[in-house]
Amino acid sequence: MSPSQPSYQVTDPATGEVLKTFPFATDAEIEAAIGAADTAYTAWREVPIAERAAIVQKVSDLFGERAEELARLSQQEMGKAFDEGKEESEFSQAIFGYYATEGPRLAADQSIPAADGGTAVVERRPVGPVLGIMPWNFPTYQIARFAAPNLVLGNTVILKHAESVPQVALAVQQIMRDAGVPEGAYVNVFATHEQIETIIADQRVQGVSLTGSERAGAVVAQLAGKHLKKCVLELGGSDPMVVLDSADVPKLAQTAWDFRVYNNGQVCNSNKRMIVMDTVYDEFVAELTEKARAVDASGHAPMSSRRAAESIDEQVQEAVSKGATLHAGGVLGEGPAAKYSPAVLTGVTPQMRAFHEELFGPVAVVYKVSSEEEAVELANATRFGLGGSVFSADVEKAKRIARRLDVGMTNVNTPAGEAADLPFGGTKSSGFGRELGPLGFDEFCNKRLYYVAG
């Protein structure tokens, strides 16, 4: 594995201009980071959980206070619209706040009835330093859902962020320091891919969590398995949004469009495949097409990078060349900027890349079906299994279909249930393990049996 670019660098996707660069860590700095996390762990684990939670609450407060600053950095580094960046920072605040409030309860001992008269208790204990490998698309939220439960539990965190968002990485590290997180309990590293292997291999590091591509997930899982480390993976998605019927098609199309183009479509659990019953299909596609045409060709936010814009354009153009219909949008702007206009695509077939691959950009792909069985079969005809949703005026019918989706998160009459207390994660090639909620608290937890004979 080699670095994807020569350094951590800030490239404004609106212009393609490289604004700042940050050198990769030296091997000595990586060793120092692991050592600091290990040393801090021996003390941090002994701090009463109520005190750890109080510090994490201060982290939460600072995310709220610095939401606009973090939003500006996200806008500069990966093109996120300012309002969306602010909203993301406020969601991160909520996640830290949730674990600060609920962490002590989630960590409480769990008694188990013992048939022989003994006393059996499951204790939730920290395990040590854990490594988080984070992506660029939600540069604060991704950190929050990994770091918050681990810090409350008593683990220490080594954080390797995406190479394109170094300023956000440093800003979050500063928040941790200002909140009183002890030196070494949260360590940001500008690591190379080779150095990531070194961190995973180190006996002091007890686990690794990655959010990213299938390719990266496979590499990290292989390394984690080789070194017998716990691993959590949140990878790609091609989530179905099944529309069985609607009493208000324009309103539902607006919901579908807003969710699909949020963060410029660069969302793992976005509704990337809209599977629509033939009775409402034509009106639904017409509504989406109108919305795509209304987007200002020059005013919409850029994608995260020129390469990201080119990649989504290649997938769409390949589909069109094989017979798919591009109803609106899908225009790649001039380089080196990363503009790509939101698009509506129909007629996608299994012979096209767009049928099988994740479309990580603002492209609404709509499929027509004529029965519930066909809808379920198409919804599950993917190697991904992150999330999915079903919409119908008949809630019981929607519930029935939603329970048949092969996904980690299934939703009825909403594109996604998202909150600090709701677990997030998938199945199949979308990864394994969960973040957020009570399940996220348990991932890097030693659920130790404490037994006293009767």
Side-chain angles (χ1 to χ4, degrees):
M1 297 174 65
S2 60
S4 57
Q5 59 188 41
S7 63
Y8 283 71
Q9 62 185 35
V10 179
T11 303
D12 186 347
T15 63
E17 181 184 1
V18 176
L19 303 177
K20 292 182 181 179
T21 61
F22 299 82
F24 286 114
T26 65
D27 291 344
E29 288 170 334
I30 294 298
E31 170 58 33
I34 299 171
D38 185 53
T39 299
Y41 171 64
T42 62
W44 183 240
R45 66 183 297 183
E46 300 302 328
V47 174
I49 191 168
E51 294 182 22
R52 294 197 300 263
I55 292 174
V56 169
Q57 181 59 55
K58 292 179 182 176
V59 173
S60 172
D61 295 341
L62 288 175
F63 265 93
E65 293 173 16
R66 300 178 188 179
E68 292 190 358
E69 173 194 343
L70 293 167
R72 282 191 291 271
L73 292 176
S74 296
Q75 185 176 42
Q76 184 181 73
E77 293 191 314
M78 52 75 58
K80 188 184 294 286
F82 179 82
D83 288 347
E84 292 183 6
K86 186 171 182 290
E87 181 179 67
E88 180 190 345
S89 298
E90 291 166 349
F91 192 12
S92 302
Q93 175 187 11
I95 293 168
F96 279 102
Y98 166 79
Y99 283 110
T101 301
E102 297 297 324
R105 179 184 63 82
L106 296 174
D109 293 348
Q110 176 185 350
S111 297
I112 299 176
D116 62 358
T119 300
V121 174
V122 174
E123 302 173 317
R124 284 173 168 77
R125 303 293 300 158
V127 294
V130 289
L131 170 66
I133 305 171
M134 298 295 110
W136 47 261
N137 59 329
F138 287 93
T140 63
Y141 160 71
Q142 300 286 359
I143 293 177
R145 65 188 199 176
F146 171 68
N150 281 300
L151 289 173
V152 173
L153 178 61
N155 292 328
T156 55
V157 171
I158 302 171
L159 200 290
K160 187 274 176 198
H161 218 321
E163 289 142 8
S164 58
V165 290
Q167 294 180 128
V168 172
L170 293 174
V172 172
Q173 179 174 254
Q174 190 62 50
I175 284 175
M176 297 292 178
R177 289 174 177 166
D178 293 346
V181 175
E183 193 72 25
Y186 181 94
V187 184
N188 179 78
V189 291
F190 287 158
T192 66
H193 292 176
E194 289 85 353
Q195 289 168 340
I196 291 172
E197 296 184 46
T198 298
I199 297 170
I200 295 173
D202 195 288
Q203 291 186 352
R204 294 166 291 185
V205 176
Q206 298 302 310
V208 55
S209 178
L210 174 135
T211 298
S213 67
E214 290 175 89
R215 181 184 61 81
V219 172
V220 166
Q222 183 179 33
L223 289 167
K226 177 181 177 181
H227 298 289
L228 300 178
K229 302 295 174 68
K230 173 67 184 289
C231 179
V232 170
L233 300 178
E234 195 269 278
L235 309 178
S238 189
D239 291 14
M241 174 182 174
V242 178
V243 177
L244 300 175
D245 56 70
S246 176
D248 190 341
V249 173
K251 181 178 179 181
L252 182 54
Q254 185 69 61
T255 297
W257 180 256
D258 289 345
F259 193 58
R260 185 64 191 100
V261 300
Y262 188 81
N263 202 32
N264 241 333
Q266 299 165 125
V267 182
C268 296
N269 65 322
S270 180
N271 50 339
K272 300 186 178 80
R273 294 179 299 136
M274 302 179 195
I275 299 169
V276 182
M277 204 64 70
D278 52 9
T279 52
V280 293
Y281 173 86
D282 289 341
E283 185 180 1
F284 190 86
V285 171
E287 288 288 335
L288 292 181
T289 300
E290 181 179 335
K291 297 179 191 314
R293 287 175 177 163
V295 175
D296 185 333
S298 61
H300 67 279
M303 294 187 65
S304 63
S305 67
R306 179 65 186 181
R307 183 61 198 138
E310 290 173 346
S311 293
I312 193 75
D313 183 59
E314 289 167 5
Q315 290 170 301
V316 170
Q317 293 305 317
E318 191 264 358
V320 170
S321 72
K322 293 183 177 179
T325 300
L326 180 62
H327 294 260
V331 177
L332 178 65
E334 293 185 8
K339 292 292 185 75
Y340 184 81
S341 59
V344 177
L345 190 66
T346 64
V348 172
T349 68
Q351 289 69 45
M352 303 169 188
R353 289 174 55 196
F355 186 91
H356 303 283
E357 298 177 357
E358 179 178 24
L359 293 172
F360 211 61
V363 179
V365 178
V366 191
Y367 296 86
K368 181 194 292 187
V369 292
S370 57
S371 69
E372 293 179 14
E373 285 302 316
E374 186 182 1
V376 172
E377 182 179 358
L378 181 56
N380 291 332
T382 173
R383 68 180 184 274
F384 296 106
L386 190 53
S389 59
V390 181
F391 287 78
S392 174
D394 184 339
V395 176
E396 292 306 313
K397 179 168 67 173
K399 287 180 179 178
R400 186 177 69 249
I401 299 302
R403 289 193 180 100
R404 297 178 65 188
L405 300 183
D406 297 332
V407 296
M409 303 172 288
T410 187
N411 306 274
V412 173
N413 287 339
T414 182
E418 294 180 310
D421 57 349
L422 299 180
F424 188 103
T427 187
K428 299 194 287 187
S429 291
S430 291
F432 45 78
R434 294 295 182 267
E435 294 182 296
L436 299 178
L439 300 186
F441 190 83
D442 273 357
E443 285 294 353
F444 294 100
C445 176
N446 173 18
K447 292 178 278 291
R448 182 175 69 184
L449 172 67
Y450 178 73
Y451 178 77
V452 179

